[in-house]
Amino acid sequence: FYEEVIAKIAAKEGVSKDHILMTSGSTEGLKVAGLTYGAGNGEILTADPTFQSLMSYAQQFGAYINRVPLDADMMYDLDEMARRVNNNTRLVFLCNPNNPTGTLLPADQLRAFISEVSDRAVIFADEAYCDYIEEPDYPSMVEFVKEGANVIVSRTFSKVYGLAGIRIGYLIARPDIIRRLSANLVSYINTAALAAANEALDERDFYLFSLERNKICKQMIYDNLENLGLKYTKSHGNFVFFETGKPIDAFSKAMAIEGVDVGRPFPPYTKWCRISTGLESEVEAFNAALRKVMG
């Protein structure tokens, strides 16, 4: 299935096959990029908090992580990030929409940032949640790859396609960058994952069903949070980040007593919680537990 899946992905993204690198989940792609650009005291610039796999892996090989706090709206502070790019910066990591906040960068600001910075460092755009974006004509950073920029885009089958357990994802970048990254791959794609991805790329009905149910479940969570007077961010992913008003460890224990497991801490937002969507019955159970715990 390998060549068939590569061909389908290339056609979907509008690039040639040598722009694609298949990985065992997008996490392998993140770690490979962290190793490639961070090893040997390479500097990686990122926001905080954000998805940490790339940075935590790179640190094991001597990378220095330059972390920029999110702004007051829990958005990437692109102005500050641009100011911090220096001669040691090898990679800039962007997770958009961001995990855990679910926030989405304005398209014009994102384009301007990449145009300004990508000739000074490689930009890694983690687009794991891009399928959930509802903003009209919102751009994927693949458009910069097509223009030959120093941009790497990661995608996964684990979110909207529901294939998290069997691990398959891919990177999109210039062929020379793909060749450099591929030298650090550590595993092969398993056949079951390739077969599932091959079918998923042709299955439009489930894709649309998944998007619609996620939208419904997010609204159920929003309505409950508003009724309880709890602050939250408008999410562009398949999760919601909300303020509990109490330390997340205590909140997690209280929710566990009600049979609901919730997300881990995301410092400095130690009184905030990230909850993923699921079946409507599961969201109803979460809502009921939250009302009891916060009541």
Coordinates of all heavy atoms in Angstrom, one line a residue, residues 123-217:
I123 N 10.7 26.6 9.4 CA 9.5 26.7 10.2 C 8.8 25.3 10.1 O 8.6 24.7 9.0 CB 8.5 27.7 9.5 CG1 9.2 29.0 9.3 CG2 7.2 27.8 10.4 CD1 9.5 29.8 10.6
F124 N 8.5 24.8 11.3 CA 7.7 23.5 11.4 C 6.3 23.8 11.8 O 6.0 24.3 12.9 CB 8.4 22.6 12.4 CG 7.8 21.2 12.4 CD1 8.5 20.1 11.9 CD2 6.5 20.9 12.9 CE1 8.0 18.8 11.8 CE2 6.0 19.6 12.8 CZ 6.7 18.6 12.3
A125 N 5.3 23.5 10.9 CA 3.9 23.8 11.2 C 3.2 22.5 11.4 O 3.0 21.7 10.5 CB 3.3 24.5 10.0
D126 N 2.8 22.3 12.7 CA 2.1 21.1 13.1 C 0.6 21.4 12.8 O 0.0 22.2 13.6 CB 2.3 20.8 14.6 CG 1.6 19.6 15.1 OD1 0.8 19.0 14.3 OD2 1.9 19.1 16.2
E127 N 0.1 20.7 11.8 CA -1.3 20.9 11.4 C -2.2 19.7 11.7 O -3.1 19.3 10.9 CB -1.4 21.3 10.0 CG -0.7 22.7 9.7 CD -0.9 23.2 8.2 OE1 -1.5 22.4 7.4 OE2 -0.5 24.3 8.0
A128 N -2.0 19.1 12.9 CA -2.7 17.9 13.3 C -4.2 18.1 13.3 O -5.0 17.2 13.0 CB -2.2 17.4 14.6
Y129 N -4.6 19.4 13.6 CA -6.0 19.6 13.8 C -6.6 20.5 12.7 O -7.7 21.1 12.8 CB -6.3 20.4 15.1 CG -5.8 19.6 16.3 CD1 -4.6 19.8 16.9 CD2 -6.6 18.6 16.9 CE1 -4.1 19.0 18.0 CE2 -6.2 17.9 18.0 CZ -5.0 18.1 18.5 OH -4.6 17.3 19.6
C130 N -5.9 20.6 11.6 CA -6.3 21.5 10.5 C -7.7 21.2 9.9 O -8.4 22.1 9.4 CB -5.3 21.5 9.4 SG -5.1 20.0 8.5
D131 N -8.1 19.9 9.9 CA -9.4 19.5 9.3 C -10.5 20.1 10.1 O -11.6 20.3 9.5 CB -9.5 18.0 9.4 CG -8.5 17.3 8.5 OD1 -8.7 17.2 7.3 OD2 -7.5 16.9 9.1
Y132 N -10.3 20.5 11.3 CA -11.4 21.1 12.1 C -11.6 22.6 11.9 O -12.6 23.1 12.4 CB -11.2 20.8 13.6 CG -11.2 19.3 13.9 CD1 -9.9 18.7 14.2 CD2 -12.3 18.5 13.9 CE1 -9.9 17.3 14.5 CE2 -12.2 17.2 14.2 CZ -11.0 16.6 14.5 OH -10.9 15.2 14.8
I133 N -10.7 23.2 11.2 CA -10.8 24.7 11.0 C -12.0 25.0 10.2 O -12.2 24.5 9.1 CB -9.5 25.2 10.4 CG1 -8.3 25.0 11.3 CG2 -9.6 26.7 10.1 CD1 -7.0 25.3 10.6
E134 N -12.8 26.0 10.7 CA -14.0 26.4 10.0 C -13.9 27.8 9.4 O -14.9 28.2 8.7 CB -15.2 26.3 10.9 CG -15.6 24.9 11.4 CD -16.8 24.9 12.3 OE1 -17.8 25.6 12.0 OE2 -16.7 24.1 13.3
E135 N -12.8 28.4 9.6 CA -12.6 29.7 9.0 C -12.6 29.6 7.5 O -11.8 28.8 6.9 CB -11.3 30.3 9.5 CG -11.2 30.6 11.0 CD -12.2 31.6 11.4 OE1 -12.3 32.7 10.8 OE2 -12.9 31.4 12.5
P136 N -13.3 30.4 6.8 CA -13.4 30.3 5.3 C -12.0 30.5 4.6 O -11.3 31.5 5.0 CB -14.4 31.4 4.9 CG -15.2 31.7 6.1 CD -14.2 31.5 7.3
D137 N -11.6 29.6 3.8 CA -10.4 29.8 3.0 C -9.1 29.9 3.8 O -8.2 30.5 3.4 CB -10.5 30.9 2.0 CG -11.7 30.9 1.1 OD1 -11.9 29.8 0.6 OD2 -12.4 31.9 0.9
Y138 N -9.2 29.3 5.0 CA -8.0 29.4 5.9 C -6.9 28.6 5.3 O -7.0 27.4 4.8 CB -8.3 28.8 7.3 CG -7.2 29.2 8.3 CD1 -7.2 30.4 8.9 CD2 -6.1 28.3 8.5 CE1 -6.2 30.8 9.8 CE2 -5.1 28.7 9.4 CZ -5.1 29.9 10.0 OH -4.1 30.2 10.9
P139 N -5.7 29.2 5.2 CA -4.6 28.5 4.4 C -3.8 27.5 5.2 O -3.6 27.6 6.4 CB -3.6 29.7 4.1 CG -3.8 30.6 5.3 CD -5.3 30.5 5.7
S140 N -3.4 26.4 4.5 CA -2.5 25.5 5.1 C -1.1 26.0 4.7 O -0.9 26.7 3.7 CB -2.6 24.1 4.5 OG -1.5 23.3 4.7
M141 N -0.1 25.7 5.6 CA 1.2 26.2 5.3 C 1.9 25.4 4.2 O 3.0 25.6 3.8 CB 2.1 26.1 6.6 CG 1.7 27.2 7.6 SD 1.7 28.9 7.0 CE -0.1 29.1 6.5
V142 N 1.2 24.4 3.6 CA 1.6 23.7 2.5 C 1.8 24.7 1.3 O 2.7 24.5 0.4 CB 0.7 22.6 2.1 CG1 1.1 21.9 0.8 CG2 0.6 21.5 3.2
E143 N 1.1 25.8 1.3 CA 1.3 26.8 0.2 C 2.7 27.3 0.2 O 3.2 27.6 -0.9 CB 0.2 27.9 0.4 CG 0.4 28.8 1.5 CD -0.6 30.0 1.6 OE1 -1.8 29.7 1.3 OE2 -0.2 31.1 1.9
F144 N 3.3 27.4 1.4 CA 4.7 27.9 1.4 C 5.7 26.8 0.9 O 6.7 27.1 0.3 CB 5.1 28.4 2.8 CG 4.5 29.7 3.1 CD1 3.3 29.8 3.8 CD2 5.2 30.9 2.8 CE1 2.7 31.1 4.1 CE2 4.6 32.1 3.1 CZ 3.4 32.2 3.7
V145 N 5.4 25.5 1.2 CA 6.2 24.4 0.7 C 6.2 24.5 -0.8 O 7.2 24.3 -1.4 CB 5.6 23.1 1.2 CG1 6.4 21.9 0.6 CG2 5.7 23.0 2.7
K146 N 5.0 24.7 -1.4 CA 4.9 24.7 -2.9 C 5.7 25.9 -3.5 O 6.2 25.8 -4.6 CB 3.4 24.9 -3.3 CG 2.6 23.7 -2.9 CD 1.1 23.9 -3.3 CE 0.2 22.8 -2.9 NZ -1.2 23.0 -3.2
E147 N 5.9 26.9 -2.7 CA 6.7 28.1 -3.1 C 8.2 27.9 -2.9 O 9.0 28.7 -3.2 CB 6.3 29.3 -2.4 CG 4.9 29.8 -2.8 CD 4.3 30.9 -1.9 OE1 5.1 31.4 -1.1 OE2 3.2 31.3 -2.1
G148 N 8.6 26.7 -2.3 CA 10.0 26.4 -2.0 C 10.6 27.0 -0.8 O 11.8 27.0 -0.6
A149 N 9.7 27.4 0.2 CA 10.2 28.0 1.4 C 10.7 26.9 2.4 O 10.5 25.7 2.2 CB 9.1 28.8 2.1
N150 N 11.4 27.4 3.4 CA 12.0 26.5 4.4 C 10.9 26.1 5.4 O 10.9 26.6 6.6 CB 13.1 27.1 5.2 CG 14.4 27.3 4.3 OD1 14.7 26.3 3.6 ND2 15.0 28.4 4.3
V151 N 9.9 25.4 5.0 CA 8.7 25.0 5.8 C 8.5 23.5 5.8 O 8.6 22.9 4.7 CB 7.5 25.8 5.3 CG1 6.2 25.3 6.0 CG2 7.6 27.3 5.5
I152 N 8.2 23.0 6.9 CA 7.8 21.6 7.1 C 6.4 21.6 7.7 O 6.1 22.3 8.6 CB 8.7 20.8 8.0 CG1 10.2 20.9 7.5 CG2 8.3 19.3 8.1 CD1 11.2 20.4 8.6
V153 N 5.5 20.8 7.1 CA 4.1 20.7 7.6 C 3.9 19.2 8.0 O 4.2 18.3 7.3 CB 3.1 21.1 6.5 CG1 1.7 20.9 7.1 CG2 3.3 22.5 6.1
S154 N 3.3 19.0 9.2 CA 3.0 17.7 9.6 C 1.5 17.5 9.6 O 0.7 18.4 10.0 CB 3.6 17.4 11.0 OG 2.9 18.2 12.0
R155 N 1.1 16.3 9.3 CA -0.3 15.9 9.3 C -0.4 14.5 9.9 O 0.5 13.7 9.9 CB -0.9 15.8 7.8 CG -0.9 17.2 7.1 CD -2.0 18.1 7.6 NE -2.1 19.4 7.0 CZ -2.6 19.6 5.8 NH1 -3.2 18.5 5.1 NH2 -2.6 20.8 5.2
T156 N -1.6 14.2 10.3 CA -1.9 12.9 11.0 C -3.2 12.3 10.6 O -4.1 13.0 10.2 CB -1.8 13.0 12.5 OG1 -2.0 11.8 13.1 CG2 -2.8 14.0 13.0
F157 N -3.3 11.0 10.7 CA -4.6 10.3 10.5 C -5.3 10.0 11.8 O -6.3 9.3 11.9 CB -4.4 9.0 9.7 CG -4.1 9.1 8.3 CD1 -2.7 9.3 7.8 CD2 -5.1 9.1 7.3 CE1 -2.5 9.5 6.5 CE2 -4.8 9.3 6.0 CZ -3.5 9.5 5.5
S158 N -4.7 10.5 12.9 CA -5.2 10.1 14.2 C -6.3 10.9 14.8 O -7.0 10.5 15.7 CB -4.0 10.2 15.3 OG -3.6 11.5 15.5
K159 N -6.6 12.1 14.1 CA -7.7 12.9 14.6 C -9.0 12.7 13.9 O -9.8 11.9 14.2 CB -7.2 14.4 14.5 CG -5.9 14.7 15.1 CD -5.8 14.3 16.6 CE -4.4 14.6 17.2 NZ -4.2 14.0 18.5
V160 N -9.2 13.5 12.8 CA -10.5 13.4 12.1 C -10.8 12.0 11.5 O -11.9 11.5 11.5 CB -10.6 14.5 11.0 CG1 -9.7 14.2 9.9 CG2 -12.0 14.7 10.6
Y161 N -9.7 11.3 11.1 CA -9.9 9.9 10.6 C -10.0 8.8 11.6 O -10.3 7.7 11.3 CB -8.7 9.6 9.6 CG -8.6 10.5 8.4 CD1 -7.6 11.4 8.3 CD2 -9.6 10.3 7.4 CE1 -7.6 12.2 7.1 CE2 -9.5 11.1 6.2 CZ -8.5 12.1 6.1 OH -8.4 12.8 5.0
G162 N -9.7 9.2 12.9 CA -9.8 8.2 14.0 C -8.9 7.0 14.0 O -9.2 6.0 14.5
L163 N -7.7 7.2 13.5 CA -6.7 6.1 13.4 C -5.6 6.2 14.3 O -4.4 5.7 14.1 CB -6.2 6.0 11.9 CG -7.2 5.8 10.8 CD1 -6.5 5.7 9.5 CD2 -8.0 4.6 11.1
A164 N -5.8 6.8 15.5 CA -4.7 7.1 16.4 C -4.0 5.8 16.9 O -2.8 5.8 17.0 CB -5.3 7.8 17.7
G165 N -4.7 4.8 17.1 CA -4.1 3.6 17.7 C -3.1 2.8 16.8 O -2.2 2.1 17.3
I166 N -3.2 3.1 15.5 CA -2.3 2.3 14.6 C -1.1 3.1 14.0 O -0.3 2.6 13.3 CB -3.1 1.6 13.5 CG1 -3.8 2.6 12.6 CG2 -4.0 0.6 14.0 CD1 -4.4 2.0 11.4
R167 N -1.1 4.4 14.4 CA 0.1 5.3 14.1 C 0.5 5.4 12.7 O 1.2 4.7 12.1 CB 1.3 4.8 14.9 CG 1.1 4.4 16.4 CD 0.4 5.5 17.1 NE 1.2 6.8 17.1 CZ 0.6 8.0 17.2 NH1 -0.7 8.1 17.4 NH2 1.4 9.1 17.2
I168 N -0.1 6.5 12.1 CA 0.4 6.9 10.7 C 0.2 8.4 10.5 O -0.9 8.9 10.9 CB -0.4 6.0 9.6 CG1 0.2 6.4 8.3 CG2 -1.9 6.2 9.7 CD1 -0.2 5.4 7.2
G169 N 1.2 9.0 10.0 CA 1.1 10.4 9.7 C 2.1 10.7 8.5 O 2.7 9.8 8.0
Y170 N 2.3 12.0 8.3 CA 3.3 12.3 7.2 C 3.7 13.8 7.3 O 3.1 14.6 8.0 CB 2.7 12.1 5.8 CG 1.4 12.8 5.5 CD1 1.4 14.0 4.8 CD2 0.1 12.3 5.8 CE1 0.3 14.7 4.5 CE2 -1.0 13.0 5.5 CZ -1.0 14.2 4.8 OH -2.1 14.8 4.5
L171 N 4.9 14.0 6.7 CA 5.4 15.4 6.6 C 5.4 15.8 5.2 O 5.5 15.0 4.3 CB 6.9 15.4 7.1 CG 7.1 15.0 8.6 CD1 8.6 15.0 8.9 CD2 6.3 15.8 9.6
I172 N 5.3 17.1 5.0 CA 5.3 17.7 3.6 C 6.4 18.8 3.7 O 6.4 19.7 4.5 CB 3.9 18.4 3.3 CG1 2.8 17.4 3.6 CG2 3.9 18.8 1.8 CD1 1.5 18.1 3.8
A173 N 7.3 18.7 2.7 CA 8.4 19.7 2.7 C 9.1 19.6 1.3 O 8.8 18.7 0.5 CB 9.4 19.5 3.8
R174 N 10.0 20.5 1.1 CA 10.8 20.5 -0.1 C 11.6 19.1 -0.2 O 11.9 18.6 0.9 CB 11.9 21.6 -0.1 CG 11.4 22.9 -0.6 CD 12.6 23.8 -1.0 NE 13.8 23.6 -0.2 CZ 14.3 24.3 0.8 NH1 13.6 25.4 1.2 NH2 15.4 24.0 1.4
P175 N 11.8 18.6 -1.4 CA 12.5 17.3 -1.5 C 13.8 17.2 -0.7 O 14.1 16.2 -0.1 CB 12.6 17.1 -3.0 CG 11.4 17.8 -3.5 CD 11.3 19.0 -2.7
D176 N 14.6 18.3 -0.8 CA 15.9 18.2 -0.1 C 15.7 18.1 1.4 O 16.5 17.5 2.1 CB 16.7 19.4 -0.5 CG 16.1 20.7 0.0 OD1 15.0 21.1 -0.5 OD2 16.7 21.5 0.8
I177 N 14.7 18.8 2.0 CA 14.4 18.7 3.4 C 13.9 17.3 3.7 O 14.3 16.7 4.8 CB 13.4 19.8 3.8 CG1 14.0 21.2 3.6 CG2 12.9 19.6 5.3 CD1 13.1 22.3 4.0
I178 N 13.0 16.8 2.9 CA 12.5 15.4 3.1 C 13.6 14.4 3.1 O 13.7 13.5 4.0 CB 11.5 15.0 2.0 CG1 10.2 15.9 2.1 CG2 11.2 13.5 2.0 CD1 9.4 15.6 3.4
R179 N 14.6 14.5 2.3 CA 15.8 13.6 2.3 C 16.5 13.7 3.6 O 17.0 12.7 4.1 CB 16.7 13.9 1.1 CG 16.1 13.4 -0.3 CD 17.1 13.5 -1.4 NE 17.6 14.8 -1.7 CZ 17.0 15.6 -2.5 NH1 15.9 15.3 -3.2 NH2 17.5 16.8 -2.8
R180 N 16.7 14.9 4.0 CA 17.5 15.1 5.3 C 16.7 14.5 6.5 O 17.3 13.8 7.3 CB 17.7 16.6 5.5 CG 18.5 16.9 6.8 CD 18.8 18.4 6.9 NE 19.6 18.6 8.1 CZ 19.9 19.9 8.6 NH1 19.4 20.9 8.0 NH2 20.7 20.0 9.6
L181 N 15.4 14.7 6.5 CA 14.6 14.2 7.6 C 14.5 12.6 7.5 O 14.6 11.9 8.6 CB 13.2 14.7 7.5 CG 13.0 16.2 7.8 CD1 11.6 16.7 7.4 CD2 13.3 16.5 9.3
S182 N 14.4 12.1 6.3 CA 14.2 10.6 6.2 C 15.5 9.9 6.7 O 15.3 8.7 7.1 CB 14.0 10.3 4.7 OG 15.1 10.6 3.9
A183 N 16.6 10.5 6.7 CA 17.8 9.8 7.3 C 17.7 9.5 8.7 O 18.4 8.6 9.2 CB 19.0 10.7 7.0
N184 N 16.8 10.2 9.4 CA 16.6 10.0 10.9 C 15.4 9.2 11.3 O 15.0 9.2 12.5 CB 16.7 11.3 11.6 CG 18.1 11.9 11.6 OD1 19.1 11.2 11.8 ND2 18.1 13.2 11.5
L185 N 14.7 8.7 10.3 CA 13.5 7.8 10.6 C 13.9 6.6 11.5 O 15.0 6.1 11.3 CB 12.8 7.3 9.4 CG 11.9 8.3 8.6 CD1 11.4 7.7 7.4 CD2 10.8 8.9 9.4
V186 N 13.1 6.2 12.4 CA 13.4 5.2 13.3 C 12.5 3.9 13.2 O 12.8 2.9 13.9 CB 13.5 5.6 14.8 CG1 14.5 6.7 15.0 CG2 12.1 6.2 15.2
S187 N 11.5 4.0 12.3 CA 10.6 2.8 12.2 C 10.0 2.8 10.8 O 10.1 3.8 10.1 CB 9.5 2.9 13.3 OG 8.7 4.0 13.0
Y188 N 9.4 1.7 10.5 CA 8.7 1.5 9.3 C 7.2 1.6 9.5 O 6.7 1.3 10.6 CB 9.0 0.1 8.7 CG 10.4 0.0 8.2 CD1 11.3 -0.8 9.0 CD2 10.9 0.5 7.0 CE1 12.6 -0.9 8.6 CE2 12.2 0.4 6.6 CZ 13.0 -0.4 7.4 OH 14.4 -0.5 7.0
I189 N 6.4 2.1 8.5 CA 5.0 2.1 8.7 C 4.4 0.7 8.6 O 4.7 -0.1 7.8 CB 4.3 2.9 7.5 CG1 5.0 4.3 7.4 CG2 2.8 3.1 7.8 CD1 5.0 5.2 8.5
N190 N 3.6 0.4 9.6 CA 3.0 -1.0 9.6 C 1.9 -1.1 8.5 O 1.3 -0.2 8.2 CB 2.5 -1.4 11.0 CG 1.3 -0.6 11.4 OD1 0.2 -1.0 11.0 ND2 1.4 0.4 12.2
T191 N 1.8 -2.4 8.1 CA 0.9 -2.6 6.9 C -0.6 -2.3 7.3 O -1.3 -1.8 6.4 CB 1.0 -4.1 6.5 OG1 2.3 -4.4 6.2 CG2 0.1 -4.4 5.3
A192 N -1.0 -2.6 8.5 CA -2.4 -2.3 8.9 C -2.7 -0.8 8.8 O -3.7 -0.3 8.4 CB -2.7 -2.8 10.3
A193 N -1.7 0.0 9.2 CA -1.8 1.5 9.2 C -1.9 2.0 7.7 O -2.8 2.8 7.4 CB -0.7 2.2 9.9
L194 N -1.1 1.4 6.9 CA -1.1 1.8 5.5 C -2.5 1.5 4.8 O -3.1 2.2 4.1 CB 0.0 1.1 4.7 CG 1.4 1.7 5.0 CD1 2.5 0.8 4.4 CD2 1.5 3.1 4.3
A195 N -3.0 0.3 5.1 CA -4.3 -0.2 4.6 C -5.4 0.7 5.1 O -6.3 1.1 4.3 CB -4.5 -1.6 4.9
A196 N -5.4 1.1 6.3 CA -6.4 1.9 6.9 C -6.3 3.3 6.3 O -7.4 3.9 6.0 CB -6.3 2.0 8.4
A197 N -5.1 3.9 6.2 CA -5.0 5.2 5.6 C -5.4 5.2 4.2 O -6.0 6.2 3.7 CB -3.5 5.7 5.7
N198 N -5.1 4.2 3.4 CA -5.5 4.1 2.0 C -7.0 4.1 1.9 O -7.5 4.8 1.0 CB -5.0 2.7 1.5 CG -5.1 2.7 0.0 OD1 -4.8 3.6 -0.8 ND2 -5.7 1.5 -0.5
E199 N -7.7 3.5 2.8 CA -9.2 3.5 2.7 C -9.7 4.9 3.2 O -10.7 5.4 2.7 CB -9.8 2.4 3.5 CG -9.5 1.0 3.0 CD -10.1 0.8 1.6 OE1 -11.2 1.3 1.3 OE2 -9.4 0.2 0.8
A200 N -9.1 5.4 4.3 CA -9.6 6.6 4.9 C -9.5 7.8 3.9 O -10.4 8.7 3.9 CB -8.7 7.0 6.1
L201 N -8.5 7.8 3.0 CA -8.3 8.9 2.1 C -9.5 8.9 1.0 O -9.7 9.9 0.4 CB -7.0 8.8 1.4 CG -5.8 9.2 2.3 CD1 -4.5 8.7 1.6 CD2 -5.8 10.7 2.5
D202 N -10.1 7.8 0.8 CA -11.2 7.7 -0.1 C -12.6 7.7 0.6 O -13.6 7.8 -0.1 CB -11.1 6.3 -0.9 CG -9.9 6.3 -1.8 OD1 -9.4 7.3 -2.2 OD2 -9.4 5.1 -2.0
E203 N -12.6 7.8 1.9 CA -13.9 7.7 2.6 C -14.4 9.1 3.0 O -14.1 9.6 4.1 CB -13.7 6.8 3.9 CG -15.0 6.6 4.7 CD -16.2 6.3 3.9 OE1 -16.4 5.1 3.7 OE2 -17.0 7.2 3.6
R204 N -15.1 9.7 2.1 CA -15.5 11.1 2.4 C -16.7 11.2 3.4 O -16.8 12.1 4.2 CB -16.0 11.7 1.1 CG -16.3 13.2 1.1 CD -15.1 14.0 1.4 NE -15.3 15.4 1.4 CZ -14.5 16.4 1.8 NH1 -13.3 16.0 2.2 NH2 -14.8 17.6 1.8
D205 N -17.6 10.2 3.4 CA -18.8 10.2 4.3 C -18.4 10.2 5.7 O -18.9 11.0 6.5 CB -19.7 9.0 4.0 CG -20.4 9.2 2.6 OD1 -20.4 10.3 2.1 OD2 -20.9 8.2 2.2
F206 N -17.4 9.3 6.1 CA -17.0 9.3 7.5 C -16.3 10.6 7.9 O -16.4 11.1 9.0 CB -16.1 8.1 7.8 CG -15.6 8.1 9.2 CD1 -16.4 7.6 10.2 CD2 -14.3 8.5 9.5 CE1 -16.0 7.6 11.6 CE2 -13.9 8.5 10.8 CZ -14.7 8.1 11.8
Y207 N -15.5 11.1 7.0 CA -14.7 12.3 7.2 C -15.7 13.5 7.6 O -15.5 14.2 8.6 CB -13.9 12.7 6.0 CG -13.2 14.0 6.1 CD1 -11.9 14.1 6.6 CD2 -13.7 15.2 5.6 CE1 -11.2 15.3 6.7 CE2 -13.1 16.4 5.6 CZ -11.8 16.5 6.2 OH -11.2 17.6 6.2
L208 N -16.7 13.6 6.8 CA -17.7 14.7 7.1 C -18.5 14.4 8.3 O -18.9 15.3 9.1 CB -18.7 14.8 5.9 CG -18.0 15.3 4.6 CD1 -19.0 15.3 3.4 CD2 -17.4 16.7 4.7
F209 N -18.9 13.1 8.6 CA -19.6 12.7 9.8 C -18.7 13.0 11.0 O -19.3 13.6 12.0 CB -19.8 11.2 9.7 CG -20.4 10.6 11.0 CD1 -21.7 10.7 11.3 CD2 -19.5 10.0 11.9 CE1 -22.2 10.1 12.5 CE2 -20.0 9.5 13.1 CZ -21.3 9.5 13.4
S210 N -17.4 12.8 11.0 CA -16.6 13.0 12.1 C -16.5 14.5 12.4 O -16.6 14.9 13.6 CB -15.1 12.5 11.7 OG -14.3 12.7 12.8
L211 N -16.4 15.4 11.4 CA -16.4 16.8 11.5 C -17.7 17.3 12.2 O -17.7 18.1 13.1 CB -16.2 17.5 10.2 CG -14.8 17.4 9.6 CD1 -14.7 18.1 8.2 CD2 -13.7 17.9 10.5
E212 N -18.8 16.8 11.7 CA -20.1 17.2 12.2 C -20.4 16.8 13.6 O -20.8 17.6 14.4 CB -21.2 16.7 11.3 CG -22.7 17.1 11.7 CD -22.9 18.6 11.6 OE1 -22.2 19.3 10.9 OE2 -23.8 19.1 12.3
R213 N -20.0 15.6 14.0 CA -20.2 15.2 15.4 C -19.3 15.9 16.3 O -19.7 16.2 17.4 CB -20.0 13.7 15.5 CG -20.8 12.7 14.6 CD -22.2 13.2 14.3 NE -23.1 13.1 15.5 CZ -24.4 13.5 15.4 NH1 -24.9 14.0 14.3 NH2 -25.1 13.4 16.5
N214 N -18.1 16.2 15.9 CA -17.2 17.0 16.7 C -17.8 18.4 17.0 O -17.7 18.9 18.1 CB -15.8 17.1 16.0 CG -14.8 18.0 16.8 OD1 -14.4 17.6 17.9 ND2 -14.5 19.1 16.3
K215 N -18.3 19.0 15.9 CA -18.9 20.3 16.1 C -20.1 20.3 17.1 O -20.2 21.2 17.9 CB -19.4 20.8 14.7 CG -20.0 22.2 14.7 CD -20.3 22.6 13.3 CE -20.9 24.0 13.2 NZ -21.2 24.4 11.8
I216 N -20.9 19.3 17.0 CA -22.0 19.1 17.9 C -21.6 19.0 19.3 O -22.1 19.6 20.3 CB -22.9 18.0 17.5 CG1 -23.7 18.3 16.2 CG2 -23.9 17.6 18.6 CD1 -24.4 17.1 15.6
C217 N -20.5 18.1 19.5 CA -20.1 17.8 20.9 C -19.4 19.1 21.5 O -19.5 19.3 22.7 CB -19.1 16.6 20.8 SG -20.0 15.1 20.6

